[in-house]
């Protein structure tokens, strides 16, 4: 029974990470935009994002569930000459529905089952 509950917990939490639909972007430290056009890594190994067109960025007020990963990035712009500015990698969603919101009921049920099984053993 302990094996079953352990496998259930592992499966449950691994399915959460596969079904979350967050995208990555580079949140500029000098503007209110999140840049969404990744271009790999620069010569220092830092993730790079390019701003060639207006569609390469989203106003940060239009993104939801933004989570700062703490990893640095650079935004390279070729719109007005060639400029670069630092930022941080963020995960975001474009719909106002954070991934965890859909799974709160499942999480509560999972902990209820674990609690029931623990009490049953006593």
């Amino acid at each position: 029974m302990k094996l079953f509950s352990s496998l259930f917990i592992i499966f449950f939490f691994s399915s959460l990470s596969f079904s979350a639909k967050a995208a990555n972007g580079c949140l500029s430290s000098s503007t209110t935009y999140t840049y969404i056009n990744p271009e790999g890594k620069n010569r220092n190994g830092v993730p790079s994002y390019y701003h060639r067109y207006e569609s390469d960025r989203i106003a940060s007020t239009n993104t939801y569930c933004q989570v700062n990963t703490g990893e640095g990035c650079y935004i390279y712009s070729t719109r007005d000459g060639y400029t670069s500015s630092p930022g941080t990698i963020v995960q975001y969603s474009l719909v106002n529905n954070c991934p965890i919101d859909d799974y709160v009921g499942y999480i509560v049920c999972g902990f209820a089952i674990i609690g029931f099984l623990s009490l049953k053993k006593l």
Side-chain angles (χ1 to χ4, degrees), residues 45-95:
V46 179
S48 303
Y49 287 76
Y50 274 85
H51 177 219
R52 292 183 191 92
Y53 310 103
E54 198 58 33
S55 61
D56 290 340
R57 66 183 184 175
I58 300 172
S60 295
T61 55
N62 294 338
T63 62
Y64 303 97
C65 310
Q66 206 167 51
V67 178
N68 188 334
T69 64
E71 183 181 1
C73 59
Y74 272 96
I75 302 148
Y76 297 99
S77 178
T78 56
R79 290 184 56 89
D80 299 318
Y82 185 81
T83 60
S84 68
S85 60
T88 54
I89 298 288
V90 291
Q91 293 179 337
Y92 66 92
S93 174
L94 294 177
V95 293

Side-chain angles (χ1 to χ4, degrees), residues 1-2 5-6 9 110-122:
M1 191 61 148
K2 191 180 246 187
S5 60
S6 299
I9 291 170
F111 282 115
I113 291 170
I114 292 169
F116 175 76
L117 293 174
S118 297
L119 288 174
K120 189 175 176 182
K121 290 179 185 176
L122 294 176

Side-chain angles (χ1 to χ4, degrees), residues 7-74:
L7 290 175
F8 174 76
I9 291 170
I10 291 170
F11 173 75
F12 176 74
F13 285 110
S14 65
S15 68
L16 284 180
S17 63
F18 291 129
S19 60
K21 294 178 178 68
N24 287 336
C26 184
L27 177 64
S28 173
S29 56
S30 59
T31 66
T32 58
Y33 288 99
T34 300
Y35 293 84
I36 59 173
N37 186 11
E39 290 286 330
K41 296 184 182 280
N42 67 11
R43 65 178 175 261
N44 296 326
V46 179
S48 303
Y49 287 76
Y50 274 85
H51 177 219
R52 292 183 191 92
Y53 310 103
E54 198 58 33
S55 61
D56 290 340
R57 66 183 184 175
I58 300 172
S60 295
T61 55
N62 294 338
T63 62
Y64 303 97
C65 310
Q66 206 167 51
V67 178
N68 188 334
T69 64
E71 183 181 1
C73 59
Y74 272 96

